[in-house]
Amino acid sequence: MVRMNIWSMNRYAYVLPALILVCIFVVYPIIYNTVLSLQDKDLLKPESGRYVGLETFRELFKDKITWVALRQTALWIVGASSMGLLLALGIGIFLSLDFPVNKVLRGVIVLPWILPPLIVATGWRWMLQPEMGIINDFLRRLHLVTGYPAWLSTKERALATLMFVMAWRLCPFLSLMIMATLRGVPTQLYESASIDGAGGFQQFRFISLPFLRFPLIVGALLTAIWTINEGFTIIYITTRGGPGESTEIMSTVLYKLNFLYFKTSKAAAMSLLNLLILFGLSISYLVFFRKYWLRGVEG
Amino acid sequence: MIKKLCAMTMMATLLILVISAVGVSKKVEISYWRFGGVVEELELEPTLMKMFNEKYPDIKATYDQWSWTTRREKMLTAFLTDSMPDIFLMYEDHMPEFAKMRMIMPIGELTQDAPSVIAEWAERFVPAFFGAWKFQGKLYALGQQAEVSPMILYNTKMFKDAGLPGPPETWDDMIEYGKKLTKGDVSGIALQADRSSNASEIYASWVYINGGRFFAEDGKTLTINDAAWVDVLEFFSDLVNKHKITSPGALELYHVLAANLFFSGRAAMATGESWAKAIAKEAGAKPGFPYDLALAPVRATPSGTRPRPKEKFIYLASNAYMVSASTTHKEEVLKFLDFMAQEDVQKFWRGDPVPGRVSATRESIVTSMFRKQFGFIADAYDETELETMTYFERFPGYGAVSDIISVARQAAIGEEMSAQEALDIAQKDAEPLVGGLVK
C-alpha cells in the first residue's frame, strides 16, 4: 500500500517540472491578461489602471475595427486552411505515387515548413512586388497576365494572396501526413477494387478518402490554429493590415492597440478574444483526436 | 623558508586581486541601445564607443544594435519589464509618448550640472533642431543628426534625355514630367504609400508645405481633414489613378523598395526624405548612378490655412539619444551625451563617413562637405540660420493618429472612397484618441 502511494507520488513528481513551466508561461500570463482586460490601462495616462469590469470589452465591441478584424479573422482561418488542405491533398497524393523524383521531392517539400515565418513573409513580399518580383515575371512569361498586377495593393486581392502564402507555408506538413496515410493503405484493396471494375476516382472515393478522413480533419484543425498563430507575421510584414484595413485580423489589431495606441487593456481584451477562438479550436482537436484514438484502441 | 615564501606570494597575489577587484568595481557600466541606422553608422558606432571608453576610463559604455522595425516593441517591453538600457537612440517622434508614460526623463534633471551642459549644447546645435528635441519645455532628446522633408529623388539622365530643365517645382510640373518620363517599363514616380510610419511622414510633410498641420493654432483641435490634407491626398491619388504615372503597387511600396525601383532605373522619380541619399547603397545604387535629391514640388497656391514654410522643407525628426527614467548612472549618462554632442563626434555626420544625413550642429552645417550633399539646406541656413524653420508636430497619441491617417491614405489612393471622405473618417476616429492628451 505504502509502495503504491510512493509510486503514485512519483508519477506526479515527474510531471511537476512541466506543470510549473506551464503555470509560469501559460497560466500566469492568461490570468494577468484577464486582469488587465478588466482595467482601463492606457500607458499614456499614468493615472489609468483602475478596475472597470467589462467596460473595456464594451468599448472594444463599439469599435468598427473589432468587427472588421473578427470577420476577416474568420475568413482568414477558413480561407487559408481550406487552401492549405486542397494544396496539400494534391501534393500528398502526388508524393504518395512511386515516381523516382518523389524521393527527392519528399525532402524538398518541407522547406516552406521549416523556414521561419519572418523569412517566408519577407521573401513573399519581394516575390510579389509587381515590377521586380519573380511571381509576375513568371506569370508574364507564361502570358497569364499582362502589365504588372499588384497582388498586395488591391483590396480585393490582398487577403486572398496572403491566404495563399499561408497555405503555401502550411501545406508541406499536411502533404506529408496525407502521403504517409496513403502509402499505408494496403495495396490489396486497390487490386480487389480494380478487379471488381472500380475506376481511379471510385478507388479514391471509396478506399483512399475514408483512410484520409482522420488526417484531413486533424490537419484542418491544426492548420486553423496555425493560421491564427502565424497570421500576424505573414500579414504584418507584407501589408501591415492594408490596403486600408482589408487584411487586418485580430492579431494585427491587438498589436496596434498595444504598440501604437498604447491601449494596454484594450489589447488585452482583444487577445482574450483571440485566445477564446484558439481555445475552441484546440478543444475541438482534442475531442476529435480522443474519440478517434479510443475507437482505434477499442478496435 | 619555503613556507614563508609561499605565504608571502599568496599574500601578494591576494593583494593584487583585491586591488584589481576594487579597480574593476570602480568602473561604472552604462548600457546604450541603438535602433536602425545605415551601414556607415553601424560601422561607426564601435569606434565611437571606443573613443568614449578611452576618454572616460572610469566608465564602460556597452552598445547593442537592434532592428529599426521593432523599436517600439523592444522599448515598450523593456520599460514594462524594468530592463531598460541607460540610453537609447531612435527617432524622437515617440518622445512625447515616452515622456508621458515616464519611460524617459528630462536631460536637464540628470545632475545639477546638466542645465549648464545643455546651455552649451543649445549654442552648438541648430536652434530649430534643438527646439524639436523638447517636450513641454524640457529637453528629452539629443539628436545625433537631423532629417528634413519632403524630398524627391530624380534621375538626372532621364530628365536630360527627356529635355526637362530640372526637378519639378510644382504639382503641375510633376504631372507633366511624370507623363513624359513614363515609358514602357519606366514609371514617372515611385510613390511610397504603404502603411509604414515613413510613408505617413512623407504624406504629412507634403501637407505642411501645403499649409496644413496636425492641429489648429489652439494646439488642441485636430485638423487632419482640412483642405491642405485633402488636396495632397487627392494629388497622390490622381498620380496613381488618373494620370497613371506611378510605379505599380504604390500601396505596398516602402522606403527601400521605392528607392530600389528608382536606383534600378524603373522609376524616374521617387518620393522620400533627406535620408534618401543615405539608403542609396542599401537600395542597390551603383557607383556613378545619375541622380540627385531635390525639394518636393509644391502646389502653386497652398490650400491650407497655415503659412507655407519659407524653406519649402520642414524639420522632420532626428535619430536622438533619450535617457531611461530608471537610470541610476545619471552622471555617467550626462558625460556620454555630452561626448556625443561634441563637434569631434558630430563631424562624422557631415558626409564622411556617414553620407546623406543632415548635420545638426552649426559648425557642421556650414562645411563644404555638407554643402556638397545638401546645398539647399546650407543655403537656407546661410539666409536665416533656419530660425523660421517649421518642425513636424510630435504629440502624445501620434502613433495612433499616424496609423489612422495611413488607413485613410490607402483608402483614398485605393479608390475605396474620396480623399475627403477618408480623412473625415480619420478625423472622427483620431479625435477621441488625442482628446485629453494634448494641452
Side-chain angles (χ1 to χ4, degrees):
Chain A
M1 193 66 192
V2 173
R3 270 168 63 188
M4 278 294 283
N5 276 345
I6 289 170
W7 167 236
S8 55
M9 275 174 70
N10 266 346
R11 281 189 304 181
Y12 291 118
Y14 289 135
V15 293
L16 198 61
L19 196 68
I20 291 171
L21 287 177
V22 167
C23 285
I24 294 172
F25 293 109
V26 179
V27 179
Y28 173 70
I30 291 175
I31 294 170
Y32 186 71
N33 195 64
T34 311
V35 171
L36 264 181
S37 70
L38 300 173
Q39 296 176 346
D40 66 346
K41 186 86 179 158
D42 179 337
L43 290 176
L44 295 179
K45 294 175 181 165
E47 71 284 2
S48 66
R50 289 160 305 180
Y51 172 77
V52 291
L54 295 174
E55 181 60 23
T56 308
F57 286 91
R58 202 180 64 81
E59 268 185 36
L60 192 70
F61 285 114
K62 258 170 56 187
D63 290 347
K64 192 193 83 184
I65 187 66
T66 307
W67 295 103
V68 170
L70 276 169
R71 189 175 62 85
Q72 279 166 189
T73 304
L75 266 175
W76 172 253
I77 296 171
V78 175
S81 307
S82 318
M83 271 194 210
L85 276 177
L86 281 175
L87 263 176
L89 192 62
I91 296 170
I93 291 170
F94 179 77
L95 289 180
S96 70
L97 303 174
D98 279 326
F99 294 128
V101 71
N102 277 0
K103 281 182 183 160
V104 180
L105 285 181
R106 280 172 206 148
V108 174
I109 195 80
V110 292
L111 206 63
W113 175 249
I114 56 171
L115 286 172
L118 184 75
I119 306 290
V120 170
T122 311
W124 275 96
R125 184 184 199 179
W126 280 92
M127 290 199 295
L128 289 165
Q129 208 285 322
E131 284 184 274
M132 294 185 296
I134 196 168
I135 302 291
N136 273 356
D137 185 54
F138 183 68
L139 295 174
R140 277 163 66 93
R141 280 169 199 268
L142 293 176
H143 300 286
L144 290 173
V145 296
T146 51
Y148 296 100
W151 301 101
L152 300 175
S153 285
T154 47
K155 199 182 167 188
E156 298 74 26
R157 285 186 198 143
L159 192 63
T161 306
L162 293 181
M163 282 176 188
F164 175 78
V165 174
M166 192 75 228
W168 176 86
R169 166 144 175 83
L170 295 177
C171 76
F173 176 79
L174 296 172
S175 306
L176 292 179
M177 218 159 108
I178 289 167
M179 181 207 73
T181 309
L182 287 177
R183 288 184 71 83
V185 178
T187 47
Q188 298 93 319
L189 292 177
Y190 291 112
E191 284 163 13
S192 310
S194 183
I195 291 164
D196 290 343
F201 178 74
Q202 282 171 313
Q203 287 181 24
F204 176 74
R205 165 73 183 82
F206 295 105
I207 300 172
S208 308
L209 213 52
F211 275 93
L212 286 175
R213 212 179 116 228
F214 175 71
L216 284 179
I217 295 178
V218 167
L221 288 168
L222 282 177
T223 46
I225 293 167
W226 290 330
T227 51
I228 299 180
N229 282 342
E230 290 193 6
F232 172 77
T233 316
I234 303 287
I235 292 177
Y236 193 73
I237 298 291
T238 48
T239 62
R240 292 175 189 250
E245 290 169 339
S246 62
T247 57
E248 293 278 17
I249 59 169
M250 289 170 78
S251 51
T252 58
V253 172
L254 82 86
Y255 164 85
K256 280 192 337 185
L257 285 173
N258 197 46
F259 291 108
L260 270 178
Y261 293 47
F262 306 115
K263 306 265 180 210
T264 313
S265 286
K266 250 187 174 179
M270 181 64 108
S271 80
L272 266 189
L273 290 182
N274 205 33
L275 185 75
L276 278 178
I277 296 177
L278 272 171
F279 190 69
L281 286 166
S282 306
I283 291 291
S284 316
Y285 167 74
L286 290 173
V287 167
F288 177 80
F289 192 82
R290 185 179 155 79
K291 205 170 130 188
Y292 194 88
W293 182 73
L294 281 178
R295 202 193 299 163
V297 168
E298 287 158 7
Chain B
M1 185 64 189
I2 293 172
K3 271 185 185 174
K4 257 188 182 178
L5 204 68
C6 280
M8 278 172 71
T9 316
M10 277 176 72
M11 287 289 281
T13 315
L14 205 65
L15 199 67
I16 291 167
L17 279 173
V18 168
I19 291 168
S20 51
V22 169
V24 168
S25 68
K26 261 189 179 174
K27 215 166 198 177
V28 177
E29 198 167 309
I30 54 170
S31 52
Y32 157 53
W33 289 358
R34 181 193 170 102
F35 292 91
V38 294
V39 181
E40 292 83 357
E41 284 171 324
L42 307 190
E43 285 168 359
L44 179 65
E45 283 292 355
T47 313
L48 293 181
M49 290 301 104
K50 200 176 161 215
M51 283 166 65
F52 176 78
N53 288 330
E54 276 170 9
K55 185 171 179 185
Y56 295 101
D58 53 336
I59 308 172
K60 189 184 176 204
T62 58
Y63 156 67
D64 284 295
Q65 171 68 40
W66 300 102
S67 155
W68 170 257
T69 46
T70 54
R71 62 197 185 281
R72 274 187 307 267
E73 297 86 319
K74 182 78 188 161
M75 284 317 302
L76 205 58
T77 314
F79 172 58
L80 295 174
T81 55
D82 204 16
S83 50
M84 291 271 288
D86 294 292
I87 308 149
F88 61 96
L89 180 123
M90 62 188 269
Y91 253 26
E92 97 298 355
D93 52 354
H94 285 290
M95 179 249 289
E97 290 172 329
F98 290 170
K100 263 277 189 208
M101 54 177 96
R102 294 169 194 161
M103 180 198 283
I104 54 174
M105 66 178 293
I107 297 172
E109 291 173 17
L110 273 172
T111 65
Q112 279 188 332
D113 298 338
S116 59
V117 175
I118 290 174
E120 277 177 39
W121 297 347
E123 290 294 311
R124 196 174 305 141
F125 285 92
V126 175
F129 302 161
F130 198 75
W133 303 333
K134 291 179 181 172
F135 173 60
Q136 293 181 337
K138 291 178 179 174
L139 188 78
Y140 277 91
L142 174 72
Q144 194 178 57
Q145 31 70 227
E147 302 289 357
V148 301
S149 184
M151 310 271 154
I152 55 160
L153 287 165
Y154 70 102
N155 186 312
T156 47
K157 185 175 181 299
M158 284 186 193
F159 268 64
K160 200 178 163 192
D161 292 348
L164 299 170
E169 287 180 6
T170 64
W171 289 4
D172 291 338
D173 289 347
M174 191 172 217
I175 294 166
E176 189 195 326
Y177 295 4
K179 282 179 181 170
K180 277 188 183 167
L181 293 160
T182 303
K183 275 179 209 159
D185 282 344
V186 177
S187 305
I189 308 144
L191 176 72
Q192 190 194 325
D194 71 338
R195 289 257 320 252
S196 68
S197 56
N198 265 323
S200 292
E201 285 160 7
I202 290 174
Y203 168 46
S205 50
W206 279 64
V207 170
Y208 271 68
I209 306 302
N210 193 32
R213 301 288 186 273
F214 281 96
F215 292 95
E217 288 192 51
D218 64 7
K220 290 181 197 170
T221 316
L222 260 185
T223 54
I224 57 172
N225 62 343
D226 76 3
W229 288 84
V230 173
D231 286 348
V232 174
L233 190 50
E234 260 174 16
F235 175 66
F236 281 1
S237 178
D238 284 350
L239 292 177
V240 176
N241 303 305
K242 189 175 162 191
H243 307 297
K244 300 188 190 307
I245 51 175
T246 56
S247 301
L251 299 188
E252 58 191 271
L253 276 192
Y254 66 107
H255 65 297
V256 177
L257 209 46
N260 204 280
L261 285 171
F262 176 79
F263 288 116
S264 59
R266 302 295 293 254
M269 292 179 267
T271 53
E273 296 167 347
S274 55
W275 44 252
K277 275 187 174 177
I279 63 162
K281 202 194 239 178
E282 191 189 340
K286 290 188 182 112
F289 185 85
Y291 82 102
D292 207 349
L293 191 66
L295 291 172
V298 299
R299 193 174 189 269
T301 355
S303 38
T305 54
R306 308 289 282 278
R308 166 175 288 165
K310 194 180 162 195
E311 299 85 2
K312 293 186 186 166
F313 60 83
I314 59 164
Y315 165 82
L316 181 75
S318 285
N319 264 333
Y321 300 100
M322 285 174 264
V323 179
S324 158
S326 59
T327 183
T328 50
H329 308 301
K330 295 180 177 174
E331 214 168 293
E332 291 76 15
V333 164
L334 186 64
K335 281 180 183 166
F336 182 91
L337 296 179
D338 192 41
F339 171 81
M340 294 301 172
Q342 299 302 316
E343 198 55 48
D344 275 352
V345 172
Q346 287 290 320
K347 69 180 180 190
F348 294 129
W349 278 270
R350 289 174 188 169
D352 183 28
V354 184
R357 297 291 203 192
V358 178
S359 300
T361 61
R362 291 171 185 268
E363 198 178 323
S364 290
I365 211 163
V366 294
T367 56
S368 55
M369 192 189 288
F370 178 76
R371 190 177 290 276
K372 208 174 151 191
Q373 290 194 99
F374 293 104
F376 52 91
I377 300 175
D379 290 346
Y381 183 79
D382 289 345
E383 206 177 315
T384 62
E385 292 199 337
L386 300 176
E387 269 176 11
T388 53
M389 191 177 194
T390 306
Y391 55 80
F392 200 78
E393 292 153 286
R394 54 240 319 112
F395 51 90
Y398 168 71
V401 172
S402 167
D403 180 64
I404 287 168
I405 292 173
S406 78
V407 173
R409 198 179 61 237
Q410 291 209 324
I413 297 176
E415 290 187 300
E416 279 177 54
M417 56 186 84
S418 72
Q420 184 71 63
E421 284 166 342
L423 288 168
D424 283 346
I425 294 172
Q427 169 87 7
K428 207 176 141 204
D429 289 346
E431 266 170 352
L433 291 169
V434 292
L437 289 174
V438 184
K439 284 169 192 156

